[in-house]
Amino acid sequence: MLTKKGAATRQRIIDAAADEIRERGVGAATLDDIGRRSGTGKSQLFHYFPEGKEQLLMAVAEWEAGQVIEDQQPYLGQLTSWQAWHQWRDVVVERYRRQGVHCPLGVLITEIGRHTPAAQAVTRQLLEQWQRQIQAGIEEMRERGSISRDVDPVRASAALIAAIQGGVTILMSTGSADHLEAALDLYLDYLRADAPSYS
Amino acid sequence: MLTKKGAATRQRIIDAAADEIRERGVGAATLDDIGRRSGTGKSQLFHYFPEGKEQLLMAVAEWEAGQVIEDQQPYLGQLTSWQAWHQWRDVVVERYRRQGVHCPLGVLITEIGRHTPAAQAVTRQLLEQWQRQIQAGIEEMRERGSISRDVDPVRASAALIAAIQGGVTILMSTGSADHLEAALDLYLDYLRADAPSYS
C-alpha cells in the first residue's frame, strides 16, 4: 500500500507521462522527460515503477481508460431521465469530436501490444465499467416505466457500447462524427419506442 | 490498361501476397517469398508494382477490403426480405467469429499507416460501399412497406455500419461475438418496429 503522499507522487508521474505522450507521442516520451516534467528523480520513478517504462505505460493506459468514463460524468452515472440520456449523448459526441483522429488510449494500447493480456485487460475493464453504467440506466428507466420491459438491459447496453465503439473508430478514420451520432440517435429511438408511458 | 493476361498475373501476385501476409504476418512476408509463391520473377513483380512492397501492400489492402463485401454476398446485395436480412446478419456474425482476433485488412491498414491518405481511402471506400448496399436494402424494404417511412435510410445504414464496426472491434479484443450479435439484433428490431405491415 502507498502512503497518501506516495500515491500523490505516483499520480504526478502518471499525469506527467500522460501529458508527454499526448504532446510528443509514446515513442518520443522518455523517462528523463517524464521525470523532469513531474519533478521526480530517476530513483523515485523506479521506486514507483520498478519495471520501467512498460509498467508506467500500463499505469497511464489505466488512467486514460478512467478518463474515458470520467469525461462522461455526471450523466453516464445517472441515466435516470430522457434529459440525462440526451445530455450524455451530446457529451459523448462532443468528447470524441474534440479528440478527433488521435486516441491517447488507443496509442497506448497499440504500444503495449493490442493482443497482450495486459492491454486486453485494460480494454475489457473499460468496456465492462462503461456498459455496467449504461445497463444501470436502462434498468432504472425500465423500473420507472420509461423503457419497455421488452428491452433486455444486458443486450441493449452491449449493443450501445458496440455502436459507440464503432462510431468512434469511424470518426478516427474519417474525421466525421456522422456515424457516431446516427448510431446513438437510433439507439435512443429504439429505447424510447414502445415505452409504456408512450402507449 | 492491363491485358487480360496481365491482369491475371497481377491478381496472382496479390493473391500470393495476401496468403503470405495472412500466414506469416506483414513484416515477415518478403517480395522473394511472394514471387516464389505466385511463380513470378522479381522483374515481373516490379513491372506490376514499380514502387515495390508498399504499392503491393496497398493493392492487397484493396483486395482484402473487397473480400469483406464479397463474404457477405449474396445477402448484402439483396436485402429485400426479412429472411435475407436475418441470413445476412448470421453471415456477418459467422464471418467475424471465424476471423477471430486477427483482421487481415486491419494489419495492412496499420502497416500502411492508419492516418495516411492511402489507408484512409481504402477504409472510406469500404465503409461507403458497405453502407450503400445496406441503404439500398432499407430503401427497398420501405418501398415494400416492410420498414416504416419514419426510418431514414442514410442514418439507419450509417448506424448499422457503426454497430458492426464496433462489434467487430470488441470481438477482436475480447474474442466474444456477444456485442456484435446484440448490436445487429437491436438494429433489426429497430428496423422491424412500427412497420406498416405490423400495424
Side-chain angles (χ1 to χ4, degrees), chain A residues 17-25 37:
Chain A
D19 288 344
E20 280 291 314
I21 292 165
R22 281 173 179 238
E23 284 171 25
R24 306 155 56 107
R37 186 165 197 145

Side-chain angles (χ1 to χ4, degrees), chain A residues 101-102 115 120 123 127 131 155-156 158-159 161-163 165-167 169-170 172-173 179 181-183 185-187 189-190, chain B residues 101-102 115 120 123 127 131 155-156 158-159 161-163 165-167 169-170 172-173 179 181-183 185-187 189-190:
Chain A
V101 298
H102 294 285
H115 298 298
Q120 292 188 339
T123 310
L127 293 177
Q131 186 174 332
R155 286 178 71 78
I161 284 293
Q165 174 78 46
T169 305
I170 294 172
M172 285 173 56
S173 100
H179 285 78
E181 294 195 75
D185 290 342
L186 256 72
Y187 267 112
D189 282 354
Y190 168 84
Chain B
V101 298
H102 295 285
H115 299 297
Q120 292 188 339
T123 309
L127 293 177
Q131 186 174 333
R155 287 179 71 79
I161 285 293
Q165 175 77 47
T169 305
I170 295 173
M172 283 173 56
S173 101
H179 286 77
E181 293 193 76
D185 290 342
L186 254 74
Y187 272 113
D189 281 356
Y190 169 84

Side-chain angles (χ1 to χ4, degrees), chain B residues 93-144:
Chain B
V93 172
E94 186 46 38
R95 181 202 190 277
Y96 283 104
R97 208 197 291 272
R98 207 169 48 233
Q99 178 176 288
V101 298
H102 295 285
C103 170
L105 179 58
V107 165
L108 286 157
I109 295 289
T110 302
E111 178 72 16
I112 293 164
R114 193 163 292 277
H115 299 297
T116 60
Q120 292 188 339
V122 173
T123 309
R124 193 175 52 245
Q125 267 178 34
L126 169 58
L127 293 177
E128 279 172 6
Q129 200 185 345
W130 201 340
Q131 186 174 333
R132 223 168 20 241
Q133 298 198 34
I134 294 173
Q135 186 184 329
I138 295 174
E139 281 164 357
E140 173 74 24
M141 296 290 279
R142 267 174 42 132
E143 288 301 319
R144 292 172 184 230

Side-chain angles (χ1 to χ4, degrees), chain A residues 2-41:
Chain A
L2 293 177
T3 61
K4 199 169 166 184
K5 186 158 165 250
T9 306
R10 183 175 181 277
Q11 187 56 47
R12 209 167 64 237
I13 296 168
I14 291 173
D15 289 347
D19 288 344
E20 280 291 314
I21 292 165
R22 281 173 179 238
E23 284 171 25
R24 306 155 56 107
V26 67
T30 67
L31 287 181
D32 281 337
D33 294 331
I34 293 164
R36 203 169 304 125
R37 186 165 197 145
S38 60
T40 48

Side-chain angles (χ1 to χ4, degrees), chain B residues 44-153:
Chain B
Q44 257 185 312
L45 273 179
F46 279 98
H47 172 70
Y48 292 103
F49 303 97
E51 293 157 45
K53 189 170 176 183
E54 202 169 324
Q55 192 183 11
L56 176 54
L57 291 184
M58 267 301 296
V60 178
E62 281 163 10
W63 182 83
E64 290 283 5
Q67 284 308 109
V68 171
I69 300 292
E70 198 52 47
D71 288 351
Q72 299 175 65
Q73 302 301 5
Y75 310 108
L76 176 61
Q78 46 190 34
L79 293 169
T80 54
S81 68
W82 288 124
Q83 197 194 351
W85 278 88
H86 285 278
Q87 282 174 321
W88 167 70
R89 175 250 182 243
D90 290 346
V91 165
V92 170
V93 172
E94 186 46 38
R95 181 202 190 277
Y96 283 104
R97 208 197 291 272
R98 207 169 48 233
Q99 178 176 288
V101 298
H102 295 285
C103 170
L105 179 58
V107 165
L108 286 157
I109 295 289
T110 302
E111 178 72 16
I112 293 164
R114 193 163 292 277
H115 299 297
T116 60
Q120 292 188 339
V122 173
T123 309
R124 193 175 52 245
Q125 267 178 34
L126 169 58
L127 293 177
E128 279 172 6
Q129 200 185 345
W130 201 340
Q131 186 174 333
R132 223 168 20 241
Q133 298 198 34
I134 294 173
Q135 186 184 329
I138 295 174
E139 281 164 357
E140 173 74 24
M141 296 290 279
R142 267 174 42 132
E143 288 301 319
R144 292 172 184 230
S146 302
I147 287 180
S148 162
R149 291 267 160 200
D150 294 341
V151 171
D152 176 335

Side-chain angles (χ1 to χ4, degrees), chain B residues 186-199:
Chain B
L186 254 74
Y187 272 113
L188 287 179
D189 281 356
Y190 169 84
L191 291 176
R192 293 191 79 148
D194 305 320
S197 49
Y198 273 48
S199 57

